[in-house]
Amino acid sequence: MYLLQMTPLHLAAKDGHIDVVELLLDKGAKILQDKNHLNYFDHAIDNGHTELVKIIINSKYWRSALRSTRRKADGSIDTPMRKLIRQMPKMARLACDKCIEKTTKGETESETHRYEFLDDTYSAEGWAAGFSAYDNNDMLKRDAEPYTNSFFIRKKNHPLNVMLECDRQELFKHPVVKSLMTSKWHGIYRALYMSSLLMYCVFLAALTGFLIAAEHPQSANFTLRAESHCISQDLSSTTLEEIAAYVVMVLSVANLVIEEWQWQVGAVSIFFGWINLVLYVQQMVPLIGIYVVMFTHTLITFAKFFIVAIIYTLAFGLAFYTVLHQEGSFEDVPKSLIKTWAMMIGELDFSDIFNDDMNKPAFPVLAYILFVVFMIIMSILIMNLLVGLAVGDIQAVQNTAARTRLETEVELILDVEILTPKFLLPKTVSRCKEISYAPTGCRQWFKRCWNRAKPMVVPSSAYVKPPETRDEISIEERLDEMSDMIRSLMKANKIDTTEKKAI
C-alpha cells in the first residue's frame, strides 16, 4: 500500500467502511490522491459502495470529493462525476441535486446552479494543482487553458456526451443539466451559430443565382467561336496583330474547357450545397430534424440492401440485354442496367417492348417468362421489402425520438463551443448561474389567492418524509405510503369510509 501511496482514508473507502471514513473526515484527514491519481471518493465508486458514495455526497466534503482528475493515456481525463454517470446514475442525480443552492428574499425565490463538475473542460486541470480557472465573478479567466487541445477528445469526453453514450436520459431532465444546456445555447453560441447559418445561406443564394443567371457552356461555345473567327479576320494587317489574334483564339479555347469543367463542378456543388442546408436545419430545428434522421436511417438501410439489389439488377439486366437486344433501351449493357432499374420502380413499358411491329423480340417465349419473373421478384417482392425496411426504420426512430433530439442538441452545443474563438470563451463559460423565480403578473395574483384560500385539514402524520433518493424505494413501499396518506386525510376530514348496505 505504501508503493501505491494510499492513505488510511483510501483504504477505508476502498473497503466500504462508512464509520471509519466519517471519522477520518471529521478529524481533518487530508484528501490526497494515490499513485494512480485516485482519491478516496474514486475508490468508493470503483468498488461499488453505493451507501458510502451517498453519504459522501450528502456530507460537507462533497465538493472536495468531486474535485479529482485522472489523466488517461489517450489525453482524456476521468473524474468522479463521469464515473457516477457511467456506474451510478442515481448517485449522479444526487450529486446534481447538491449543485443547486436555493435562497429566498421576500417573494423572490432564486437558485444557484453550479456547473463546475458538469462543464469541467477548463476547471479540471486546476483541481489537483490547487488553482481555479474562474475569477471572482465566477467567469472563466482569460488565461485558462483546456485539459487537452484535441477537439475530438474534448467533445467525446464531455460529461454531457458521456450521458448520451450511457443513455442517461433521466439525467438530462435534471434542472442543472437543463440550465447548463440552456445557458450555453442562449448565450453567444446561438449568435455564432445563427451568423454561420446566415453566411451559409448567403453563399448558397449567390451560388444558386449565379448558376441560374449564367449562360450555358453550349451557347457560350458558339459565341466564343464566332468572336474568335471575327478577330482572326479583322486583325490581319500586321504580324503583331496576327500573333495577338492567335493568342486570343488560344485563350478562348482554353477558357471554353475551363468553363465546361467549372460548370460540371457547379452542378455537383449546388446539389451538395442544398443537401448540407438540410443538415443545418436538422441541428437548428429538432422538430424538423427528426425527419432528416428518419431519411438518414432509411438511406443507410438501403445502402446495406443495395448489394442484394445490384445482384438482381445484373441478373435481369444482362438477361434482357441478351433476349431484347433489338430494343433501343437494351441495345448495350449500361442502357440495359439503367432500364432494369427504371422497370423496378414501375416503368415497365410492356407495349413498347412486346407490341412494337418494327422491333419484335427474337425470343418471345423466353422474353415473356423473364418479364413475368422480373415483375414478381423486382417489382413486387423487392420493392415491398424496401418499403417494409423503411417503415421499420421510421418506427425505430420515432421510438427513440427523445434520445435523437437530445443527441442533436448536445452535439450542436459542443460543436459550437469547440469552434468558439478563445477571446469569447470568458463570456460563455461560467462556474455557476443564478436563476430567479420572482412571481409576476398572473403568477403573483394566483399565489396570493392560493395563500388566502382556506387549506384542507391535513395532519402531520399524513406527510411522508421523502428520502434522499426516491429511486431507491420499491413500488410496494410507495403504494403503502400512499395508502397511509389517503387514510390519514380521510380520517382528518371526517370522511366516512364504511360501505353502505344495499337496501
Side-chain angles (χ1 to χ4, degrees), residues 324-384:
L324 299 173
H325 185 69
Q326 78 288 345
E327 178 67 28
S329 301
F330 302 98
E331 62 183 3
D332 55 34
V333 174
K335 286 185 178 180
S336 179
L337 295 177
I338 295 174
K339 178 62 177 176
T340 304
W341 271 104
M343 291 169 62
M344 184 176 66
I345 61 175
E347 189 183 340
L348 296 176
D349 292 338
F350 178 82
S351 299
D352 295 338
I353 296 174
F354 293 97
N355 295 333
D356 189 0
D357 295 333
M358 300 298 295
N359 296 315
K360 289 187 177 181
F363 310 99
V365 176
L366 182 59
Y368 276 110
I369 294 174
L370 284 175
F371 194 83
V372 171
V373 175
F374 174 84
M375 287 190 297
I376 295 174
I377 295 179
M378 300 293 284
S379 299
I380 298 177
L381 296 180
I382 290 185
M383 290 304 298
N384 282 280

Side-chain angles (χ1 to χ4, degrees), residues 248-400:
V248 171
M249 292 173 62
V250 172
L251 293 177
S252 299
V253 174
N255 191 31
L256 286 176
V257 177
I258 295 175
E259 283 189 354
E260 290 179 355
W261 172 75
Q262 290 176 343
W263 193 266
Q264 297 176 30
V265 173
V268 178
S269 300
I270 197 65
F271 171 76
F272 285 107
W274 283 98
I275 294 297
N276 194 37
L277 182 63
V278 175
L279 301 180
Y280 264 106
V281 174
Q282 173 191 354
Q283 294 180 325
M284 185 65 186
V285 187
L287 185 62
I288 300 176
I290 192 67
Y291 298 104
V292 180
V293 175
M294 291 179 183
F295 173 79
T296 305
H297 278 252
T298 305
L299 184 63
I300 294 173
T301 302
F302 175 76
K304 296 177 181 178
F305 182 76
F306 181 76
I307 299 176
V308 178
I310 198 65
I311 293 175
Y312 279 101
T313 303
L314 286 171
F316 284 103
L318 295 174
F320 285 141
Y321 166 75
T322 304
V323 299
L324 299 173
H325 185 69
Q326 78 288 345
E327 178 67 28
S329 301
F330 302 98
E331 62 183 3
D332 55 34
V333 174
K335 286 185 178 180
S336 179
L337 295 177
I338 295 174
K339 178 62 177 176
T340 304
W341 271 104
M343 291 169 62
M344 184 176 66
I345 61 175
E347 189 183 340
L348 296 176
D349 292 338
F350 178 82
S351 299
D352 295 338
I353 296 174
F354 293 97
N355 295 333
D356 189 0
D357 295 333
M358 300 298 295
N359 296 315
K360 289 187 177 181
F363 310 99
V365 176
L366 182 59
Y368 276 110
I369 294 174
L370 284 175
F371 194 83
V372 171
V373 175
F374 174 84
M375 287 190 297
I376 295 174
I377 295 179
M378 300 293 284
S379 299
I380 298 177
L381 296 180
I382 290 185
M383 290 304 298
N384 282 280
L385 178 60
L386 286 174
V387 172
L389 291 174
V391 171
D393 287 341
I394 292 173
Q395 186 63 38
V397 172
Q398 287 179 340
N399 294 336
T400 60

Side-chain angles (χ1 to χ4, degrees), residues 132-263:
S132 176
Y134 303 97
D135 55 19
N136 296 330
N137 297 323
D138 291 324
M139 299 301 295
L140 188 69
K141 295 179 181 178
R142 293 189 175 276
D143 58 348
E145 294 291 337
Y147 64 86
T148 179
N149 293 323
S150 173
F151 295 157
F152 174 77
I153 293 178
R154 282 156 56 182
K155 177 181 177 181
K156 184 176 178 59
N157 196 46
H158 198 279
L160 294 178
N161 197 61
V162 176
M163 293 182 191
L164 276 180
E165 293 179 349
C166 299
D167 197 17
R168 307 303 187 199
Q169 297 187 31
E170 67 279 0
L171 290 178
F172 281 103
K173 300 177 183 178
H174 195 277
V176 174
V177 180
K178 292 171 66 175
S179 66
L180 173 62
M181 296 178 62
T182 302
S183 63
K184 281 182 172 292
W185 175 246
H186 287 283
I188 199 170
Y189 292 167
R190 180 170 58 178
L192 290 174
Y193 181 80
M194 293 301 295
S195 61
S196 175
L197 178 60
L198 179 61
M199 293 175 60
Y200 183 80
C201 290
V202 171
F203 158 75
L204 190 60
L207 179 61
T208 304
F210 173 77
L211 288 178
I212 294 175
E215 192 174 7
H216 199 274
Q218 292 183 351
S219 59
N221 276 341
F222 177 79
T223 303
L224 289 174
R225 286 197 192 99
E227 292 176 356
S228 301
H229 179 71
C230 294
I231 292 174
S232 63
Q233 291 293 329
D234 294 336
L235 302 178
S236 57
S237 56
T238 63
T239 305
L240 182 61
E241 291 176 346
E242 289 180 358
I243 294 174
Y246 285 115
V247 170
V248 171
M249 292 173 62
V250 172
L251 293 177
S252 299
V253 174
N255 191 31
L256 286 176
V257 177
I258 295 175
E259 283 189 354
E260 290 179 355
W261 172 75
Q262 290 176 343
W263 193 266

